[in-house]
Amino acid sequence: MKVGFVYDPIYLKHDTGQHPENAKRLEAIISHLERTGLTQQLTPIRPRAASIEELSLVHDEQYISHIRDVAQKGGGWLDVDTVMSSNSYEAALYAAGGVIRATEAVINGEVDSAFALVRPPGHHATYEQAMGFCLFNNVAIATKCALANYKLERILIVDFDVHHGNGTQAAFYGNPQVLYISTHEYPFYPGTGSIEETGSETAEGTTINIPLPAGSGDTEYLEVFEQIIVPAAIRFKPQLILVSAGYDTHWADELALMQVSVTGFAQMVKIIKGLGDELCDGRLVFSLEGGYNLEALAASIKATFDMLLGNTAIEDRLGQPPRSFKTPSIAPLIKKIKERHKLV
Ligand SMILES: [Zn+2]
């Protein structure tokens, strides 16, 4: 089992100052992977910068130039949440290029699966707008490249970040070749991701939103994976699966109110891996989105790699949420989504 990972120190140069999305996130991940001996079990994949042509598959050219210009002028705030430094444009090119390379490596068979440990993250970035810490939509760009360059016809994107990936949804809202499935806290930032958003006419049903109430934890997520994501994926028959892997769903994360544990992430990854093995020769590409509690983030990413490698022992020192608050039953929600998407 060959599992690849993308990483480069350029990702640390996207300097956001006092901001939850900062370079310490990747430093914590890399040092944890090294300390636990996991890095030696992985195959390094060198990222490259995405080209303007590749970025333009998802973004407006004027927007791309704007991001370059802001960096050249030393950086600045793009919206209330999203900040750039002078090296952010280059880091963002390598973030998109890193996910493209991970995808190429998986499709070419250099590795069985891969995880791109990149920043800035991408799933909120839209055609012409940076938002929610995201500059370029890494997963959407890599997906469009795979469709164009490898003549793929069906790609599944699973997004388990605690926030809805509005940018990714918008990029494929009218494209029946991409099934986008998102689990997210709702109502919450960025406000999109209701059950009613299911894709535009030509692509009706290829967006599946699973808006979960605050307080949802391992039990709720696993239920949703088994009852909605698995049957939807089997019906779609993807040739490749990309995952917007955000770990801000962990109970210790301070940006949101979900209660997933490291063990819960491992179980979710196990299900996704099972889908990959069954449906598309194990072709899986993970890309880092959110996750702001450093200990939870590093441990969850190690657990993700362990699952991809087939290591069965999961270390979960943080354990289950200490002050578990009652979650409303999600059975009616699941029923509604299954009816809406004819997954009965
Ligand atoms: Zn997030």
Side-chain angles (χ1 to χ4, degrees):
M1 187 67 64
K2 256 176 126 177
V3 179
F5 81 107
V6 169
Y7 173 71
D8 193 286
I10 181 69
Y11 300 133
L12 306 178
K13 291 189 177 172
H14 168 50
D15 181 2
T16 52
Q18 295 291 322
H19 191 286
E21 200 297 288
N22 60 60
K24 291 198 183 89
R25 298 175 63 232
L26 276 184
E27 287 171 342
I29 294 166
I30 298 298
S31 74
H32 187 63
L33 296 181
E34 280 178 3
R35 199 170 50 240
T36 52
L38 203 92
T39 323
Q40 292 138 17
Q41 300 175 53
L42 304 172
T43 306
I45 298 168
R46 277 182 78 99
R48 60 169 172 82
S51 67
I52 303 297
E53 204 184 347
E54 288 166 335
L55 298 180
S56 304
L57 292 168
V58 170
H59 298 288
D60 177 32
E61 284 201 31
Q62 279 186 1
Y63 168 70
I64 300 166
S65 315
H66 173 64
I67 298 297
R68 186 198 58 210
D69 293 346
V70 174
Q72 276 172 0
K73 286 172 187 149
W77 289 86
L78 301 170
D79 77 349
V80 290
D81 301 311
T82 315
V83 67
M84 285 179 65
S85 65
S86 55
N87 291 310
S88 295
Y89 177 66
E90 200 191 353
L93 293 181
Y94 272 84
V99 186
I100 294 172
R101 270 295 297 133
T103 307
E104 288 170 350
V106 166
I107 295 176
N108 292 335
E110 296 163 48
V111 291
D112 295 296
S113 58
F115 198 148
L117 299 169
V118 300
R119 60 182 289 275
H123 73 154
H124 294 304
T126 69
Y127 177 65
E128 53 186 2
Q129 207 178 346
M131 59 185 278
F133 320 161
C134 302
L135 301 182
F136 300 133
N137 197 316
N138 308 319
V139 165
I141 293 164
T143 300
K144 290 229 173 168
C145 286
L147 289 172
N149 301 337
Y150 294 93
K151 300 199 167 52
L152 297 188
E153 287 165 353
R154 289 176 315 280
I155 297 180
L156 166 64
I157 300 174
V158 177
D159 184 336
F160 61 67
D161 187 278
V162 80
H163 303 96
H164 180 241
N166 58 299
T168 312
Q169 171 174 298
F172 302 107
Y173 208 61
N175 186 341
Q177 296 185 307
V178 177
L179 174 61
Y180 175 70
I181 309 181
S182 174
T183 54
H184 44 273
E185 183 174 331
Y186 188 86
F188 199 47
Y189 183 88
T192 48
S194 74
I195 297 175
E196 284 70 36
E197 295 159 36
T198 53
S200 68
E201 263 172 52
T202 51
E204 168 59 34
T206 57
T207 293
I208 302 180
N209 281 308
I210 306 167
L212 293 165
S216 298
D218 294 357
T219 312
E220 288 74 29
Y221 271 82
L222 292 178
E223 213 163 296
V224 153
F225 265 69
E226 276 159 15
Q227 294 207 41
I228 299 171
I229 300 181
V230 168
I234 290 173
R235 183 173 68 186
F236 186 68
K237 301 186 184 70
Q239 297 158 303
L240 171 71
I241 301 174
L242 277 91
V243 181
S244 265
Y247 297 88
D248 37 11
T249 324
H250 192 278
W251 62 260
D253 200 285
E254 289 186 353
L255 260 66
L257 292 167
M258 294 311 214
Q259 302 195 89
V260 173
S261 69
V262 171
T263 304
F265 282 120
Q267 288 168 315
M268 281 151 57
V269 172
K270 191 178 178 187
I271 294 173
I272 296 173
K273 184 170 186 302
L275 286 173
D277 290 342
E278 185 185 334
L279 302 172
C280 50
D281 300 323
R283 290 154 138 191
L284 294 178
V285 180
F286 282 66
S287 180
L288 180 62
E289 301 285 359
Y292 306 99
N293 177 295
L294 300 186
E295 195 185 347
L297 175 65
S300 302
I301 288 189
K302 179 179 181 292
T304 300
F305 276 120
D306 277 326
M307 281 294 134
L308 294 177
L309 285 161
N311 301 338
T312 47
I314 294 301
E315 192 183 10
D316 184 0
R317 284 206 267 181
L318 287 159
Q320 291 297 308
R323 121 197 106 72
S324 156
F325 57 95
K326 203 170 158 24
T327 314
S329 165
I330 60 161
L333 175 79
I334 291 181
K335 185 166 176 273
K336 214 166 143 189
I337 297 171
K338 286 177 83 164
E339 280 170 5
R340 179 97 206 191
H341 289 277
K342 302 184 179 70
L343 288 167
V344 197

